Amino acid sequence: MLTQRLSLALDRKVVSLPESGKIAVVSPDASTDLSALPRERTEVVSRSHRVHRAFIESGFHVVAVPEGPYTMAILSLPRAKAAARAALAEIVPITRGPTVIDGQKADGVESLQRELGQRAALGDVLVKAHGRLFSATNVDCTGWNAVPDQVTRPKGGTYQTPPGAFSCDGIDPGSRALADALPDRMDGHVIDLGSGWGYLADAVLERAGVASVDLVEDDLAALEASRANLDDVRARFHWANALTFRPDPFADHVVTNPPFHAGRSPDVTIGQGFIRAGARMLTRKGTLWLVANRRLPYEKTLVEFFRDVRTLGQPAEYKLFKATQPRPVRKR
């Protein structure tokens, strides 16, 4: 992990900090310890609202888009190759010194190192904890700039999706199953919790009776794509953490296909948190519409926070739920 490898790399002189100038740390996890870096010269770059807020609360200067110039950049490697390339293409031109890349073997750091061997001058490599850290200078990022993917809309045209975003190369089957199960009429105010690049919100906007839809998304790149995909005055866009978002007004419906991984590890508490948050956002007679992978145990949480829980048509790999009449959510 970046926390372990960065401190060790600095101790062993695998990399050295510049004596002056700003240092960019790009896409770190919220739990990353950056105490080895000079706080007053460190700028965290993250498009995750959750990560953004975590580092602001820790006293760091944080931006969503790199501002530069930097004398060093440290990239915590994202899982998607296209996203990693795009991040390098964005940060390298505004960095005068080395770019340090850190990543796990499972996230493709070895493959990227081999690729950069043909495009850059590489420094020493630190291998530890199923990953590696190395520096690169004079990086040629030709052809690596972010180019939105195009996904075909069910009724013609295309959606725009950012590189590396969830289901960027096609409509997620779980989201499609939930969209197909929604009623023809959904009166009032709707929240799409974890809205991604806007597919579910688009399906909601086709229903009769919808007055407004709040799209709540942690990933700024996905949210900006949804702005481009939804040309509807009823859509409102919120860069926010789904677990802490405060709606105004409360919703008549919440639709959600919550994530269930923290990195590569399954984490059912994320979806359970979405259920609790959805209950808090609804009116007393409101309805939560949820799709989940079939192996995820959300039933107990649904019953805990809703008085009436029903299953809808059950595709082979998914569970679909309609939960109504949320119970009062006590502060925890």
Side-chain angles (χ1 to χ4, degrees), residues 190-266:
V190 185
I191 296 176
D192 182 354
L193 207 55
S195 55
W197 44 261
Y199 168 72
L200 265 177
D202 194 26
V204 168
L205 287 164
E206 293 179 350
R207 267 56 184 185
V210 173
S212 59
V213 178
D214 281 341
L215 289 84
V216 181
E217 174 55 43
D218 177 77
D219 180 353
L220 184 59
L223 186 70
E224 291 303 315
S226 70
R227 288 184 190 273
N229 292 330
L230 303 183
D231 183 15
D232 195 308
V233 296
R234 296 173 295 166
R236 301 182 297 191
F237 304 87
H238 306 272
W239 185 40
N241 183 341
L243 302 184
T244 58
F245 177 69
R246 294 293 185 265
D248 183 18
F250 287 104
D252 300 288
H253 303 270
V254 170
V255 298
T256 186
N257 179 6
F260 59 94
H261 283 88
R264 290 186 178 272
S265 301

Side-chain angles (χ1 to χ4, degrees), residues 142-188:
T142 303
W144 283 6
N145 296 86
V147 177
D149 287 322
Q150 302 292 324
V151 173
T152 301
R153 291 176 181 262
K155 295 186 177 181
T158 58
Y159 294 111
Q160 174 179 302
T161 67
F166 173 69
S167 72
C168 63
D169 55 353
I171 297 169
D172 172 64
S175 294
R176 188 190 291 271
L178 180 57
D180 290 344
L182 293 176
D184 293 336
R185 187 172 190 91
M186 298 178 72
D187 288 320

Side-chain angles (χ1 to χ4, degrees), residues 92-152:
V92 164
I94 54 176
T95 302
R96 294 194 297 267
T99 298
V100 176
I101 295 100
D102 176 88
Q104 296 300 106
K105 182 177 180 180
D107 292 335
V109 67
E110 293 177 336
S111 174
L112 181 63
Q113 182 187 351
R114 289 193 295 270
E115 195 167 9
L116 284 171
Q118 307 300 316
R119 287 174 167 258
L122 301 186
D124 293 335
V125 181
L126 174 71
V127 180
K128 185 177 177 61
H130 306 291
R132 57 185 55 202
L133 178 149
F134 61 93
S135 64
T137 54
N138 301 319
V139 182
D140 176 12
C141 294
T142 303
W144 283 6
N145 296 86
V147 177
D149 287 322
Q150 302 292 324
V151 173
T152 301

Side-chain angles (χ1 to χ4, degrees), residues 182-183 186-187 189-191 251-256 278-279 281-290 306 308 310 312 321-326:
L182 293 176
M186 298 178 72
D187 288 320
H189 174 46
V190 185
I191 296 176
D252 300 288
H253 303 270
V254 170
V255 298
T256 186
M281 296 175 191
L282 286 162
T283 64
R284 286 188 293 178
K285 295 183 179 180
T287 302
L288 174 75
W289 305 87
L290 169 75
F306 290 88
D308 185 7
R310 304 181 184 184
L312 305 174
F321 296 98
K322 175 186 178 182
T324 57
Q325 303 177 53

